[in-house]
C-alpha cells in the first residue's frame, strides 16, 4: 500500500473516570473522526463531492491484523477501500471469534465533517484498528492499525492520531 500525505485527524477519547488504573477489566473509548480535508485547507485540485465512507473497525488482540501498510488486503478491506462498504469487513472481524472484542461502524462523513461512536477494549483486546474510504478515489483509505490503548499498565486517557492515506 502506497502512503500519500493528507491532513486528517482521528481522536480517541477515553470515556471512563480519569483515575489511573491498571490495564485490567474493560474500558470504553469515544472514537471521533474529524476530517480536516476541505476546499479551504486544500484549495488546489480539491475534488468535487469529496467525502469519507463511514469509519469502520474494532478492538482486537495481537493475533488479529485487520490491515497493515504493505500487507495484502482481505476482501473486506478491498470492498471498503473501493466502495466504502462495511459489511464484509465487519463480518471478517466478527468471524475471528476470541481475537476480536468489539466493532464500530459509523455513517459517512462529509468534507470537514465529524463522526463519533463508542468502542470497548479490555486487557486481552487493547488494540484498535479503524479505516475510512477516501472519496472520490479508486481505492484510497485512511486509518490506524494496531493502536494499543494500554500504556504498559495504565489505560491511556486519550489519544489523538493523524491519519494518512493508503492505496489499497
Amino acid at each position: 500500500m502506497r502512503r500519500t500525505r493528507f491532513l486528517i485527524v482521528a481522536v480517541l477519547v477515553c470515556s471512563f473516570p480519569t483515575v489511573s488504573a491498571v490495564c485490567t477489566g474493560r474500558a470504553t473509548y469515544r472514537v471521533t473522526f474529524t476530517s480536516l480535508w476541505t476546499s479551504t485547507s486544500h484549495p488546489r485540485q480539491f475534488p468535487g463531492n469529496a467525502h469519507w465512507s463511514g469509519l469502520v473497525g474494532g478492538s482486537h488482540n495481537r493475533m488479529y491484523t485487520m490491515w497493515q501498510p504493505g500487507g495484502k488486503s482481505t476482501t473486506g478491506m478491498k470492498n471498503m477501500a473501493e466502495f466504502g462498504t462495511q459489511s464484509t469487513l465487519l463480518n471478517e472481524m466478527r468471524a475471528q471469534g476470541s481475537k476480536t472484542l468489539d466493532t464500530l461502524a459509523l455513517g459517512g462523513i462529509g468534507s470537514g465533517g465529524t463522526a463519533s461512536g463508542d468502542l470497548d477494549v479490555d486487557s486481552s483486546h487493547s488494540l484498535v484498528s479503524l479505516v475510512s474510504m477516501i472519496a472520490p478515489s479508486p481505492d484510497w483509505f485512511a486509518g490506524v492499525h494496531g493502536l494499543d490503548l494500554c500504556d504498559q499498565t495504565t489505560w491511556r486517557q486519550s489519544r489523538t492520531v493523524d491519519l494518512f492515506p493508503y492505496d489499497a
Side-chain angles (χ1 to χ4, degrees):
M1 292 175 216
R2 189 177 65 228
R3 185 175 147 193
T4 310
R5 194 166 165 91
F6 269 79
L7 251 181
I8 305 157
V9 175
V11 180
L12 299 176
V13 180
C14 180
S15 63
F16 60 90
T18 58
V19 176
S20 294
V22 176
C23 292
T24 58
R26 185 178 280 219
T28 300
Y29 282 83
R30 181 65 149 175
V31 177
T32 301
F33 180 97
T34 302
S35 169
L36 301 179
W37 183 39
T38 66
S39 60
T40 303
S41 66
H42 295 79
R44 299 182 67 196
Q45 300 178 336
F46 188 77
N49 192 28
H51 65 280
W52 304 90
S53 71
L55 189 67
V56 61
S59 55
H60 55 89
N61 64 23
R62 296 189 189 288
M63 300 300 294
Y64 174 71
T65 301
M66 187 174 92
W67 73 278
Q68 65 183 2
K72 187 175 188 311
S73 294
T74 64
T75 301
M77 274 299 299
K78 183 177 181 297
N79 289 347
M80 187 286 310
E82 292 180 1
F83 310 111
T85 57
Q86 300 174 336
S87 58
T88 305
L89 186 55
L90 287 168
N91 288 339
E92 287 174 356
M93 288 189 74
R94 291 174 182 141
Q96 294 298 312
S98 64
K99 294 178 185 177
T100 61
L101 175 67
D102 195 13
T103 57
L104 178 70
L106 303 177
I109 306 156
S111 172
T114 299
S116 297
D118 291 339
L119 186 65
D120 288 340
V121 295
D122 68 16
S123 58
S124 299
H125 304 88
S126 63
L127 305 178
V128 172
S129 296
L130 301 160
V131 292
S132 178
M133 175 194 74
I134 303 169
S137 76
D139 62 354
W140 296 354
F141 69 95
V144 62
H145 60 95
L147 176 67
D148 198 343
L149 296 179
C150 179
D151 188 10
Q152 296 183 4
T153 59
T154 306
W155 290 113
R156 295 179 185 270
Q157 294 303 307
S158 67
R159 185 75 192 260
T160 301
V161 180
D162 291 336
L163 301 181
F164 298 94
Y166 293 88
D167 182 354

